[in-house]
Amino acid sequence: MERRAEVKTLQLLQWARGDAGQEDSLGALALKVLLEGDADKKAEETLSIGKRWADGLISNNFPEKSRHSLPSEPCRPQSVQMVDARKVKQGSKASFVHSLCHAESYAIDLMWDLMLRFSDEDLPKEFYDDWIKVASDEARHYSIWRDRLSELGSSYGDFPAHNSLWESASETSHDLLARLAIVHMVHEARGLDVAHAALSRFQKENPPDVKSAQILENNVRDETTHVGAAVKWFKYVCEKRRLGDPVKVYHDYVKKYFRGVLKPPFNKQARLEAGMTEDWYLPLAGAENNQGEEKESAGKENKQEDAGGKEEAKGKEEEEEEEDDMLKVAGEVD
């Protein structure tokens, strides 16, 4: 059975690589990336497609075979041991960077899956302009973290990882709005919220890891535009389907497909830059979390003598929780 699956994958790869005259088709090229099991080649191919697309050398065409051959999961490097998300720990700096590298690699597949899976939605060329750019950003991010990992004496595959990122994609594979809402406007937006926890981790290294912090800061700027692309196309599809207020539609999707509530604190500035005003997410934060914000605010205003130690402990606990959230966001765990 496994051998037959390998043969089928090779046959599809052969077709996607142009043996059937489809080398300039965006659909065939998307399938090619998803069937590529080497993470470096996956990133290189994505960057190449991005350049060729910008130069007008690729047709906005999705052959029927490319859509019907879409794998339930992308091919992934065999060198990366996949385990349950709860067993993935990032104790060392190298393992933490590895988790970021892994997330960026999986994000490449996620973007190509988005474009190919929903290619029958009759979307304009601008949709593909935006998401090919996002895919190229993810490929560049992966390559930078991979090189940083090498500088730390490690490589991609040296630590276990999990596929929670893809689980989120699978759960929203039936509806473009669900995919945009949960994967990008919940999970990726959460990455903006907790990025400062990761920055703090790098800055607290002895000596401070200035290089990793700068890489992360640069990536967060890109990720803000990725969330912005999701908001833009969520609104577009809502209008196309005549669903009414996109904010209300978003709330309905999150309540239906996201387990739990959105967790503050929120990076309001980054979210605003991405087009997510407070009315998109504050109503989804939940009473429990709103109370948490009120308690935190009250604690800051009442730093009494005997409360000082408690506040410090609470701050440390919250910081650790945010850092844990950053690790979860790196794998799109809710």
Side-chain angles (χ1 to χ4, degrees), residues 108 113 118 134 149 186 208 244 282 306:
I108 296 171
D113 180 86
F118 301 106
V134 173
L149 202 53
V186 171
L282 283 186
D306 59 347

Side-chain angles (χ1 to χ4, degrees), residues 175-191:
D175 186 348
L176 175 57
L177 283 178
R179 174 70 66 86
L180 293 172
I182 304 305
V183 172
H184 299 283
M185 297 167 67
V186 171
H187 291 305
E188 197 162 13
R190 179 61 179 164

Side-chain angles (χ1 to χ4, degrees), residues 209-266:
D209 187 349
V210 177
K211 185 167 186 177
S212 294
Q214 185 61 61
I215 292 172
L216 185 61
E217 286 182 331
N218 292 338
N219 289 358
V220 168
R221 283 193 285 272
D222 289 337
E223 301 295 344
T224 301
T225 68
H226 300 175
V227 176
V231 174
K232 169 185 174 180
W233 291 106
F234 189 90
K235 291 179 176 178
Y236 175 89
V237 177
C238 282
E239 182 177 354
K240 185 170 181 284
R241 296 183 186 178
R242 299 181 179 180
L243 297 178
D245 180 12
V247 174
K248 182 181 182 304
V249 176
Y250 173 69
H251 291 172
D252 291 341
Y253 269 96
V254 173
K255 290 173 184 177
K256 184 174 182 179
Y257 294 107
F258 181 67
R259 297 182 293 274
V261 295
L262 305 190
K263 297 171 62 177
F266 299 107

Side-chain angles (χ1 to χ4, degrees), residues 66-290:
S66 66
R67 292 199 301 270
H68 291 171
S69 302
L70 183 63
S72 58
E73 291 189 26
C75 293
R76 299 295 306 166
Q78 294 184 355
S79 60
V80 181
Q81 179 189 5
M82 304 302 288
V83 299
D84 186 278
R86 292 167 295 186
K87 296 182 179 179
V88 178
K89 303 296 181 182
Q90 288 86 6
S92 67
K93 178 166 64 176
S95 62
F96 182 62
V97 170
H98 185 277
S99 71
L100 298 173
C101 184
H102 176 69
E104 301 291 2
S105 178
Y106 246 121
I108 296 171
D109 285 323
L110 189 56
M111 302 314 151
W112 290 115
D113 180 86
L114 173 76
M115 288 181 269
L116 183 53
R117 185 172 300 280
F118 301 106
S119 57
D120 60 350
E121 289 269 349
D122 190 28
L123 296 160
K125 178 179 177 294
E126 187 180 349
F127 176 86
Y128 301 102
D129 289 337
D130 286 352
W131 292 105
I132 289 174
K133 178 187 179 301
V134 173
S136 297
D137 285 347
E138 307 293 15
R140 183 166 45 80
H141 295 172
Y142 162 78
S143 300
I144 293 172
W145 283 125
R146 176 204 59 201
D147 293 346
R148 182 62 183 140
L149 202 53
S150 178
E151 293 171 350
L152 296 173
S154 189
S155 60
Y156 184 40
D158 282 357
F159 299 93
H162 58 82
N163 69 343
S164 294
L165 173 64
W166 193 257
E167 290 174 2
S168 292
S170 297
E171 292 168 359
T172 56
S173 62
H174 62 291
D175 186 348
L176 175 57
L177 283 178
R179 174 70 66 86
L180 293 172
I182 304 305
V183 172
H184 299 283
M185 297 167 67
V186 171
H187 291 305
E188 197 162 13
R190 179 61 179 164
L192 303 179
D193 299 334
V194 300
H196 72 280
L199 283 171
S200 178
R201 173 170 180 159
F202 288 134
Q203 291 164 349
K204 289 179 180 179
E205 293 283 340
N206 188 16
D209 187 349
V210 177
K211 185 167 186 177
S212 294
Q214 185 61 61
I215 292 172
L216 185 61
E217 286 182 331
N218 292 338
N219 289 358
V220 168
R221 283 193 285 272
D222 289 337
E223 301 295 344
T224 301
T225 68
H226 300 175
V227 176
V231 174
K232 169 185 174 180
W233 291 106
F234 189 90
K235 291 179 176 178
Y236 175 89
V237 177
C238 282
E239 182 177 354
K240 185 170 181 284
R241 296 183 186 178
R242 299 181 179 180
L243 297 178
D245 180 12
V247 174
K248 182 181 182 304
V249 176
Y250 173 69
H251 291 172
D252 291 341
Y253 269 96
V254 173
K255 290 173 184 177
K256 184 174 182 179
Y257 294 107
F258 181 67
R259 297 182 293 274
V261 295
L262 305 190
K263 297 171 62 177
F266 299 107
N267 186 338
K268 294 182 179 181
Q269 181 59 41
R271 283 174 174 264
L272 183 60
E273 290 176 12
M276 290 192 83
T277 49
E278 293 183 0
D279 56 324
W280 284 87
Y281 55 89
L282 283 186
L284 297 169
E288 179 181 347
N289 286 318
N290 287 333

